[in-house]
Every structure is written in C-alpha cells, then in structure tokens.
Amino acid sequence: MTQAIQKTLRDSAAMRWTALLLLALAMFCSYIFMDILSPIKDLMLSERGWDSTAFGTMQGSEVFLNVFAFFLIFAGIILDKMGVRFTMVLSTIVMLVGAVIKWYAVSDGFQGSGLEAWFTNNLNYIPLFDELGVSPFYEGMPASAKFAACGFMIFGCGCEMAGITVSRGIVKWFKGREMALAMGSEMALARLGVATCMIFSPYFARLGEHVSVSRSVAFGVVLMCIALIMAIVYFFMDRKLDGQTGEAEEKDDPFRIKDLGQILTSMGFWLVALLCVLYYSAIFPFQKYAVNMLQCNLTLEKPAEGSFWASESVTIVQYVIMLVVAATAFASNFQKKKELKYGLLVTSIVALIIYCYMGYMRQSAEAIFAVFPLLAVGITPILGSYVDHKGKAATMLVLGSLLLIGCHLTFAFILPIFKGSAVGGIIIAYLTILVLGASFSLVPASLWPSVPKLVEQKIIGSAYALIFWIQNIGLWLFPLLIGKVLDATNPGVTDPTQYNYTAPLVMLACLGIAALLLGLALKVVDRKKHLGLEMPNITE
C-alpha cells in the first residue's frame, strides 16, 4: 500500500516550498538589479553626467524591446514550447548578459574607450523611431547611458520572461495546494528586493574612500549570478519531478492572433487592462525617481563623521531590522493562536518604529524610501484573503486609486511645506510612502484575479500576455516622461538635490485620477453585465 501512494517531490511540503524559494530568490535578485541605479540618481549626474532626461530614457529602455519588438509575446511562445525549467534558465542567462553590459557601461573601463567613442558618434538618430518620438536614444545622450540602455533592454527581456515563467512554475508545483499563499509569498519576497536595492546600492557606491557607481551595479551583477545558480538548481528539481510523475510539462494554450478578437471586444477587459497600465505607471516609474525626490524635498544633514550613524555597519543593522519587520508582519497572517498572532504583530510594529528611527538618524533618503514595501508585505495576504472570501475587487481598485492620488499630491504639495522641519518632513514622508505601498497591494489582490472572470478559460493566457504588453508601454513611457518634465521645469538646475518635483508628481496623480474614473466605470459595467468582479473568488 505504501508503494501505491509513493510521494513525489511535489507532495513534500519541504520540497515544493524549496522550489518556490529558488524561484522567488531569482526574482528577488532581478528586482534589486531593476532599480539598482534609482537610489543613486544624484551620483549618476555627478559621476557620469546623466541629466534627468538621460536617466529617464535609460530607465525606460528596460521594456523597450518587450513593447516595440513584441519580445513579451515571443517569451510566452518560448515558455509554451520549451517548458518552465528551460525558460527559467534561459531568462536568467539573458538577464545576466544584460546586467554585465550595463555594469561595463558605467564602469571606469568604458570611459575613454573606443566603444565610448563609437556610442558617442552613433545611435543619435534612429529612422522611424525618432519620427515617432519613441527612440531609446537621442543626440547628445551620454555614451555610457546609451550603452547602459542597450544592456537594460536585454535585461528587461529576460526579466519579463522570468516573471511569466515563475508564475507558471508556481502553478506546476502548487496546483491543488496552497497556491495563493505561494504566489503571495513569492511576490512579498520579490518586493523586498526594492527595499534591499534602496539600502545597499548607495552603500556600495560610497564604500571606501571614493565614490564608484559601478560598484553598485557590480553588486547587482553578483546577485544575477546567484539567480542563475538558483535557476539551475530548480532545473534539476523540476526535471526530477517530471521523472517521478512520468508526465510531460503542463502546457498552456499558446498566444494566438485570432484570440485577440474575443479579448479586444470585451469592455471589462479593456477597463482592467487600462487600470493596470495606469496604476503600474504611477508606481514603478516613480520608484526610479523617489529617492531623488526625497533628497530634494527633505532637509537632510549628514551624521557626524566617526559616529555610529555614519558608519558602514549601521546599514547591515538596519537591513536586519527590516527583515524582522517583513517576516513578522507576513507570518502574523497565518497564525491561528491569537497570542502568537498579536505577538508577531507587536514585534513587527516595534521593529518598524526602530527601522524608521534609524532612517531618520542616518538622514538617508534611500533608507527612508526603503520602507515602501514593508506594509505591503504584511497586508497583501489579508487583502487577497478578503477578495477570495468577500469579493469587492472593483471597489478595492477604486480605493487603491484614491490612495494613489492622495500620496502623489502629498509628495507634490504638502511635503515641500515641511522642508524646513527635519522631523516633520521625514514623518510625512514615512507615512505617505507606507500608504503608497499599501495601495500597491490592492492591485495584485484585486486586479489579477479578476481577469479569469472577463474572458474564457482557454484564452486566459492570451489575455494576460496582452495585459502585460499594454502595461509595458506605460513602464517604457513614463520614466522617460518624468525625466523630460523634470528637466523642462527645472532649467539651469545643476544640483541634483535642488529639483522641483511638483510637475512630475502632479502628472502621476493625474494617472491616479484616470484610474479612479476607470475603476468607477468598471463597477458600472460589472453591475450591468454581471461580470462577478464584486463577488468572492471562493464560493462556499
């Protein structure tokens, strides 16, 4: 009888959660590299001569090939034909190649090289793309920014491919089990990559006696090497699982052009897709400028030389405390005993207060913004569970839009008022960043689970692929727009800590207003067509 119910790796909780950890760590590393230059935007100006337009153009290049070369669609085809484990390894290799190129672009070795001369003299005009105003390069763009953009394009192809693959891998290992918890855990760990980047990128750039932006990117390259190792280990685990089950890898329906007709005629689909692009465009591009925005709107004084707050060890201590905040907040959601649940919550709150105090004492904009994902990590499981059991997905999208608008307008108009107040400004910044992170949690909890209610089961893959492609348009466009608006509204400003961010922040708030109107429209359509968006995902 024992042999008849022989367990596979998937039946072992330890093994399937190990598989999840391998996939999540790979995405954790990719999230760090994705924003590796964001907290050191000021150094990119002083060390490499990148103005805001160059910085924004380079940051937007990450999704350029996904949008204009339709690589995102090709990635889905590769995944469908080759399976999870092959595509996971391939995606991490592609990310590593792009990361190495970006590192060399900002390194001292690139300066004065023949490659720098070539990039200075070329790629100043791209036929058709220049006429359409969508070129990833422009005349006068620093050569290092051009070459870094090339590397970031390649990295972006691998990153989007990995994102699709990880979701497919989680379904394979957790189907019929704790899949929602697994996806939430993977997302929580990946978002901690944002905080990790904000803390350690400036740390490595300023490590030692002289500033080196290439050290920060090198740190990201090392992490991408670790991601590749994680993918290779997962490859062998996944292959062993298939050997045990005797089954070929599960296949999703491939993306088909003919599916577009049914998808594109769905009003509900278009509202959800546009909500997605508006919401993510107001968050991810903002992350790339958020540290510099705080530097421009807060009164920050460097701690005294030789003090604990100016030491390198304080970075490590604060990071450990951040992990305590995230771990205890996340774990509290799954405790049945009230004593343990509230004990973890109290521990998380106390650790969060300590973390915020340390950020204030360090007078570090990077450490202040690193608090962004911490509240989201704690409440994402709560929101997901609420939508599963109570519904109200469309209402949550409306609430998320309202919070988004409020946060960006607070950054634009209220935070500058407190610039002369060292304590008041940082308190306003902390509270607004935490609320913004919480609003971000409403999207994955309510938007993504709504898609299966809008299209037939057999074309869900095609619908998700199209939504990701539309989302990437915003992720390409708005980093570039923020940079251009910032330069246009700050003529002659050479100090990167003296920019006026009002106009870009108002632009992002307008995205929130548009998302709010679409959310209200979605509630109307849901009520008229009975889409079920306000209904719970789990029917008792």
Side-chain angles (χ1 to χ4, degrees):
M1 182 67 179
T2 303
Q3 292 181 347
I5 55 172
Q6 180 66 41
K7 290 187 176 181
T8 65
L9 290 178
R10 185 165 48 198
D11 296 315
S12 166
M15 288 297 99
R16 64 176 177 267
W17 282 97
T18 298
L20 174 74
L21 184 62
L22 293 170
L23 294 173
L25 283 174
M27 293 308 298
F28 171 81
C29 294
S30 71
Y31 265 56
I32 292 175
F33 192 87
M34 189 186 303
D35 280 317
I36 201 69
L37 294 182
S38 299
I40 54 173
K41 177 181 180 290
D42 57 326
L43 298 181
M44 297 311 299
L45 175 62
S46 60
E47 300 298 313
R48 292 294 179 263
W50 295 13
D51 60 13
S52 294
T53 299
F55 183 83
T57 303
M58 190 285 302
Q59 294 282 39
S61 68
E62 178 195 355
V63 295
F64 182 84
L65 293 178
N66 289 320
V67 173
F68 295 103
F70 301 98
F71 185 82
L72 188 58
I73 305 302
F74 297 139
I77 295 173
I78 293 170
L79 175 59
D80 182 69
K81 298 298 182 184
M82 304 304 296
V84 172
R85 56 180 175 267
F86 173 87
T87 311
M88 191 64 204
V89 173
L90 176 63
S91 63
T92 49
I93 291 174
V94 172
M95 285 193 287
L96 179 58
V97 170
V100 171
I101 293 173
K102 186 172 179 178
W103 164 75
Y104 182 66
V106 300
S107 69
D108 293 336
F110 181 77
Q111 307 301 309
S113 67
L115 196 58
E116 181 189 32
W118 189 90
F119 273 92
T120 299
N121 298 322
N122 293 277
L123 299 181
N124 293 314
Y125 171 74
I126 310 296
L128 183 61
F129 286 97
D130 269 275
E131 279 74 16
L132 294 174
V134 297
S135 175
F137 315 108
Y138 61 87
E139 188 170 2
M141 185 176 182
S144 58
K146 288 182 186 176
F147 194 34
C150 292
F152 212 24
M153 288 180 201
I154 297 172
F155 171 86
C157 291
C159 190
E160 290 295 332
M161 185 190 298
I164 298 172
T165 305
V166 166
S167 297
R168 170 86 166 270
I170 293 174
V171 170
K172 180 175 182 177
W173 281 81
F174 286 85
K175 189 173 183 179
R177 296 176 175 84
E178 55 277 85
M179 189 189 303
L181 176 59
M183 287 191 170
S185 301
E186 183 274 327
M187 188 179 301
L189 181 56
R191 285 186 178 174
L192 284 180
V194 177
T196 303
C197 169
M198 296 300 162
I199 289 177
F200 282 106
S201 179
Y203 170 79
F204 283 107
R206 297 184 172 95
L207 189 64
E209 297 181 355
H210 70 283
V211 171
S212 173
V213 294
S214 66
R215 275 199 300 264
S216 293
V217 186
F219 163 64
V221 171
V222 171
L223 290 176
M224 293 316 304
C225 291
I226 295 173
L228 178 57
I229 294 172
M230 298 295 103
I232 292 172
V233 175
Y234 174 83
F235 178 96
F236 289 105
M237 283 190 67
D238 193 85
R239 188 171 69 174
K240 185 173 182 179
L241 174 63
D242 281 353
Q244 290 176 333
T245 60
E247 300 173 355
E249 288 201 89
E250 298 174 19
K251 303 292 184 181
D252 288 339
D253 286 339
F255 184 89
R256 296 182 296 267
I257 298 298
K258 66 179 182 180
D259 291 335
L260 292 178
Q262 181 181 344
I263 296 171
L264 297 180
T265 54
S266 168
M267 176 63 73
F269 168 83
W270 271 112
L271 290 173
V272 168
L274 292 174
L275 269 167
C276 175
V277 69
L278 289 170
Y279 212 99
Y280 278 85
S281 295
I283 296 287
F284 283 121
F286 170 72
Q287 286 180 191
K288 301 180 186 301
Y289 292 86
V291 170
N292 186 232
M293 184 275 295
L294 292 176
Q295 291 170 338
C296 296
N297 286 296
L298 295 175
T299 301
L300 300 172
E301 300 290 340
K302 287 185 178 181
E305 290 292 336
S307 68
F308 170 72
W309 303 111
S311 67
E312 296 172 354
S313 59
V314 69
T315 301
I316 308 298
V317 174
Q318 192 176 23
Y319 186 66
V320 171
I321 294 174
M322 185 199 77
L323 294 179
V324 172
V325 175
T328 52
F330 187 77
S332 68
N333 290 283
F334 310 103
Q335 305 302 319
K336 295 182 179 179
K337 294 183 178 180
K338 288 187 177 180
E339 298 82 2
L340 184 56
K341 179 183 182 70
Y342 291 118
L344 288 171
L345 276 175
V346 170
T347 302
S348 180
I349 293 171
V350 171
L352 178 61
I353 294 172
I354 294 172
Y355 175 90
C356 292
Y357 174 74
M358 293 184 71
Y360 166 73
M361 293 301 294
R362 291 182 64 192
Q363 294 287 284
S364 166
E366 302 91 340
I368 292 171
F369 185 71
V371 80
F372 172 70
L374 297 187
L375 187 57
V377 169
I379 69 173
T380 297
I382 299 174
L383 296 173
S385 177
Y386 186 87
V387 173
D388 279 340
H389 294 90
K390 302 294 183 181
K392 304 297 182 183
T395 300
M396 279 196 173
L397 291 172
V398 171
L399 176 60
S401 300
L402 287 170
L403 293 176
L404 186 68
I405 296 166
C407 288
H408 284 310
L409 291 180
T410 298
F411 285 134
F413 298 108
I414 297 179
L415 187 60
I417 296 175
F418 288 84
K419 187 170 184 178
S421 172
V423 177
I426 290 179
I427 291 176
I428 294 294
Y430 270 133
L431 293 176
T432 309
I433 293 167
L434 284 169
V435 172
L436 184 65
S439 74
F440 191 28
S441 298
L442 292 168
V443 176
S446 53
L447 189 149
W448 297 116
S450 300
V451 176
K453 298 179 180 180
L454 303 175
V455 298
E456 292 183 13
Q457 181 71 28
K458 66 177 183 178
I459 57 173
I460 285 177
S462 301
Y464 273 124
L466 190 56
I467 287 178
F468 270 99
W469 182 75
I470 295 171
Q471 172 189 316
N472 272 239
I473 295 175
L475 300 185
W476 158 76
L477 177 63
F478 281 94
L480 185 151
L481 280 181
I482 294 173
K484 288 183 176 294
V485 170
L486 203 55
D487 278 338
T489 55
N490 292 272
V493 176
T494 57
D495 185 345
T497 64
Q498 297 301 316
Y499 285 116
N500 184 329
Y501 267 85
T502 302
L505 289 168
V506 169
M507 178 178 70
L508 295 177
C510 289
L511 293 179
I513 293 172
L516 173 62
L517 295 176
L518 286 177
L520 294 172
L522 184 62
K523 284 175 66 69
V524 173
V525 172
D526 175 62
R527 189 180 303 113
K528 287 183 177 179
K529 298 191 175 184
H530 307 290
L531 299 176
L533 299 181
E534 294 286 79
M535 300 299 292
N537 294 327
I538 297 175
T539 55
E540 307 252 340

